[in-house]
Each structure stands twice: as structure tokens, then as C-alpha cells.
Amino acid sequence: MSGSRCARLGGPLVRQLLDSVDSVLFDCDGVIWRGDQAIPGAARVISLLKQRGKKVFFVTNNSTKTRKMYADKLSSLGFDAAEDEVFGTAFCCAAYLRSECGLRGKVYLVGSDAMRQELEAVGIQAVGVGPDPVSGKQLDWASVPLDPEVQAVVVGFDEHFSYMKLNRAMQYLTQKDCLFVGTNRDTRLPLEGGKAVPGTGCLLQAVETAAQRQAQTVGKPSRFMFECVARRFDLRPERCLMVGDRLDTDILLGSACGLKTLLTLTGVSTAAEAAAHRDSGDNERRAMVPDYYVESIADLLPALQGEDDPSL
């Protein structure tokens, strides 16, 4: 690949890039791990960045874990990570509802128990977690009991997603004052071995279609995801690097927020896709073009270990 953007990162360019930033934001799935397997060399990269005084954050659209659960997973895979460095959509969704919406009532949650925990941690009660089997007939479904204290419908990843949950969410959303928030629009979750399963975006689109309403999403590429980190740690966008494997979430977030961007090819998007966006002439597609790309974040190791420059 060639051109002023989407350059392959290596040699002196690595040191130049790292010297230009104070903070590095990493996506997780497809970047530092795949499923339950760490990307080789990723833990060492994180450790060396911190040794060099860089702030490191983990920014994920996965809503199935609390911050603590993510910190525990990071630790189990050998990463040096603290709970307050983790920003998942379960946590950020709760922050959005409390700080941006001023929500004080309940939410109907199509999502995980981890989301329920993060919501309750900021004083928001969630109803709807767990299975909701179909019973009765269609007229009964249209008149399902609704909690009058519910002020928002929140959609994240839900392994118990069902017709009745879809119906109940739709019934709440017929109330025009009911807020509608989704964690993210990722339609596929990549797994090790090249496999994948449907993502939250599939569930969110189903609810949007039924309700005939558009949700506000808080996960990448929403600017709120970066703001959630930046406000807590006083980050300067121009001194931040976003590292991700998806052009339409990670790289687009970085572009929207004025961050430097690095695509790693260990996950979803490819170098060919990035090149096609760059050469398309379409401004919306060009917003998904990274500044640099690497095969793996392990490609940063030589510069971090000083192997390409004895003075480091």
C-alpha cells in the first residue's frame, strides 16, 4: 500500500509515532486477543508502553463484561491492566444515561447481567435481564405488562434475545418520551480460527425495525466513547493513538475525534479494504482510512525494546 495515509508502520516511523503520543487506546477483540487467546507479543507491548510513560486504555464495544471482569480477563492473559483503564460499552452506556441524559428512572434492558451491574452502579435499576419466553396469543403480546417507571430501552448483547423481548422493547418504545440507547452496531463478533457469531448490531437493528425508531449508540464509532475516557483522564486528542482492527468502528472513531490511528490486521478489516476506502474519493469512506497499519501490534516491539536504535 502507498499514499500519505495508510502507510505500513515500521522502522523509524514507529518511534516517530510513539514519540508523538502520550496515550494509546486499544480495542480488545482482534487486537490484543482473539476469543480467549492473547495475540502473541501483545502483553509485552502494553507493558513496554507503560514503562515508557504512556497511558494505556482498553476501549471495547463488547457489553458482556463489567470493567472488573475485563480487568480480570486482561490479567489472566498476562496483561498489565487496571480496572479504571477499561472502557466497555456496559460502563459507557451507564455513564451516558446518567451524565448525558440525567436518567433517574428504570430501564428495560435487552442485555447482559454485566450491563445490569454497571447500570446499578450509577443508581439506575434495570428490568428484563434473562429469558422472556413466549406465552399467550398475539393480542396478549400486544398488551404485555409494562413497568410505568421505565424511561429508556437499552440494547446490548443478549444471549437470551427472543421474540418476546423484541415485542416488549417495541411496546415501551411506542411511548415517545422513552429513550432508546444501543451499545454498538457491530454485526459480527470474530472468534479464533476465523469463526464468527452475530453481534449486538443484529439485535439492535431488529428492535429499531420493530419500533420504527433509531437508537442513539454510545460505542465506537460514537464520539462519546472517546469522550468517556478523555473526560476522566484529561486526554488531548492530538496526543492519542487509537489502535483497532475494524475500519468502521475503531478507525472511524479515531478519525472523528482527531486521534492518530493504527489498523492491526489480526482481526476483521484488511489492508485491501483500507486501500479501497482511501482511493474511493468518497469522504465518508476516507474517514475509515487509518494513518498506519501493521500485521500485528507485536510489530511495535522492536522499537519499544530499542532493537532498531541503541539510544532507546
Side-chain angles (χ1 to χ4, degrees):
M1 300 176 71
S2 61
S4 58
R5 296 187 65 192
C6 215
R8 187 183 183 101
L9 188 65
L13 266 180
V14 180
R15 287 183 286 113
Q16 292 172 23
L17 176 61
L18 294 178
D19 286 346
S20 73
V21 300
D22 304 315
S23 304
V24 186
L25 288 72
F26 288 93
D27 177 44
C28 295
D29 295 322
V31 176
I32 62 172
W33 66 55
R34 290 194 203 94
D36 292 319
Q37 297 178 2
I39 299 291
R44 182 66 174 151
V45 168
I46 302 300
S47 177
L48 289 171
L49 283 170
K50 289 188 172 185
Q51 287 179 32
R52 294 190 177 282
K54 307 298 183 185
K55 294 178 182 176
V56 173
F57 303 99
F58 305 93
V59 184
T60 173
N61 274 357
N62 192 319
S63 63
T64 63
K65 291 180 174 63
T66 63
R67 299 177 96 187
K68 183 181 186 308
M69 292 163 70
Y70 254 109
D72 289 345
K73 176 173 180 176
L74 284 157
S75 178
S76 73
L77 292 177
F79 291 92
D80 173 15
E83 187 175 334
D84 66 354
E85 295 171 335
V86 178
F87 289 82
T89 48
F91 172 80
C92 291
C93 188
Y96 177 81
L97 288 167
R98 180 56 104 185
S99 65
E100 302 299 304
C101 303
L103 189 77
R104 294 294 183 269
K106 299 178 182 178
V107 303
Y108 176 66
L109 176 61
V110 179
S112 64
D113 190 64
M115 289 192 68
R116 178 192 61 77
Q117 292 178 50
E118 293 287 19
L119 287 163
E120 291 185 352
V122 298
I124 298 174
Q125 185 177 346
V127 299
V129 175
D132 189 0
V134 171
S135 62
K137 299 180 180 180
Q138 289 182 344
L139 281 176
D140 300 318
W141 305 342
S143 303
V144 288
L146 302 180
D147 188 327
E149 295 182 48
V150 165
Q151 297 180 3
V153 168
V154 177
V155 179
F157 185 79
D158 189 345
E159 63 186 23
H160 299 293
F161 188 73
S162 64
Y163 180 84
M164 192 52 68
K165 287 197 171 193
L166 176 61
N167 172 63
R168 207 178 295 272
M170 185 192 84
Q171 302 304 333
Y172 277 116
L173 289 168
T174 60
Q175 305 169 24
K176 60 182 176 65
D177 293 331
C178 185
L179 299 174
F180 186 14
V181 178
T183 55
N184 62 290
R185 296 186 180 276
D186 300 46
T187 55
R188 290 165 65 90
L189 301 178
L191 304 175
E192 56 265 45
K195 297 182 179 180
V197 294
T200 301
C202 299
L203 314 186
L204 183 57
Q205 286 179 35
V207 177
E208 288 179 326
T209 301
Q212 298 181 356
R213 288 180 56 177
Q214 190 85 358
Q216 172 65 49
T217 52
V218 300
K220 298 171 291 184
S222 167
R223 294 176 61 91
F224 181 77
M225 196 75 172
F226 173 69
E227 291 167 359
C228 201
V229 187
R231 291 172 185 172
R232 286 166 172 77
F233 290 91
D234 195 26
L235 304 187
R236 294 166 52 199
E238 70 276 10
R239 297 288 300 178
C240 293
L241 172 66
M242 179 71 220
V243 184
D245 70 309
R246 295 185 66 122
L247 299 173
D248 60 346
T249 57
D250 306 315
I251 303 308
L252 187 55
L253 170 73
S255 297
C257 296
L259 320 182
K260 298 174 178 66
T261 54
L262 174 63
L263 174 71
T264 177
L265 303 180
T266 48
V268 174
S269 297
T270 67
E273 290 169 343
H277 287 320
R278 184 194 61 204
D279 300 335
S280 68
D282 183 302
N283 287 335
E284 288 188 8
R285 292 182 63 185
R286 288 176 126 176
M288 293 187 279
V289 179
D291 296 314
Y292 305 98
Y293 76 98
V294 288
E295 293 293 328
S296 163
I297 64 166
D299 291 357
L300 304 181
L301 280 174
L304 287 168
Q305 293 171 336
E307 295 173 4
D308 65 335
D309 187 338
S311 69
L312 288 179

